[in-house]
Amino acid sequence: MTSIGGAGTSGMVDWNLAVATATRLVRPGPEVSRDEAREVVAELRRHAKASEEHVRAYTRMIPEGHEPQDTPVLVVDRAGWIKANVAGFRELLTPLLGKMQERRSATPGSAVLGAVGGKVTGVELGMLLSFLASRILGQYETFAPAGRDLPTGANGGGRLLLVAPNIVHVERELEVDPHDFRLWVCLHEETHRTQFTGVPWLRDHLQGEIQSFLAATDVDPGTVVERLREAVQTLAGGRPEAEEGEPSPSFVELVQTPEQREILGRLTAVMSLLEGHADYVMDGVGPQVVPSVAEIREKFQARRARGASRLDLALRKLLGLDAKLRQYRDGERFVRAVVDEVGMDGFNRVWTSPNTLPTKSEIAAPADWIARVHRRADS
């Protein structure tokens, strides 16, 4: 197995063990013949390319004649998604884990404890990723480090991942037209790609916010490990059932300071914007190029809402994925309300600078964003 970015066994997490564990435990994908697999991969690549033109024409985010930095589109299996995400986690979490490692180094016997703890955490992270790897249809990796098998755009640009077995699994489960569904998924993910390639400052802004959030973290390393352990116990059925109405813990509960809560509010707002915008564009372009878009949307929304099982719902809460579902809904309502009021070009003022991004309260009250960004600017 190729190591993830160098010494995979050093520090607080054994990253290589996380990859190995997740790859070993992930569910097998749907049964397809070799010829069918090739056909799916080729079609997803075609749809991804076609989606560029559709999304750019609809959003008008990229001026005509301007070619933004290119980023690769990769069609991967579940193991490929795992490897890419472990590399991304390592890249993003290095400052926090370094801080935790310094804290632990003052403890007697820290070398032995660190080696053992890193392996335990690697296994637990791998178990969580094995759960998620069968559920993600596509993902724009904003902070993706380049790897031998996973190239990125030039100068630290991202990459778009399309997880072929998961797309096939869902299209079969929903009993929808597979060709329409594949294009529909590509439209959503291509919107994310356009957001980051068309707005040059967005990646650095997000990275700065995340690093500020992590830098303000002041937690005992054991707390992080305990959150992972709770997640794994839930996944394995070993965690006692919560009382009715009792909220499940999530990793967001690691937020401890007012500064972090403020940063998290800004991050929640921008993620709601990005996810809602992608849903809005997907449904806006859909009727023109996806004949069965209404059926797909209805069935997919129902699937999102119910989750696969009670266990799936519990783990979604634990990981904060239920918050992500709210981001789709709240963000899409914000985008729709703003476009209805000021048009697409008026909405696109949101991409002017970090100061024109909506706040968390403005996501829930689009008229406040319009008043702040449009009416004051126009006056």
Side-chain angles (χ1 to χ4, degrees), residues 276 326-338 363 366:
R326 288 195 297 274
Q327 288 172 2
Y328 284 109
R329 295 191 298 268
D330 297 346
E332 197 274 341
R333 281 195 293 264
F334 171 84
V335 176
R336 185 172 300 280
V338 172
I363 287 287

Side-chain angles (χ1 to χ4, degrees), residues 60 334-350 366 369-371 373-375 378:
R60 301 200 288 274
F334 171 84
V335 176
R336 185 172 300 280
V338 172
V339 174
D340 286 349
E341 181 70 21
V342 298
M344 185 63 77
D345 291 332
F347 165 79
N348 281 341
R349 287 196 188 181
V350 79
W369 180 86
I370 293 171
V373 173
H374 276 267
R375 291 168 190 161
D378 294 342

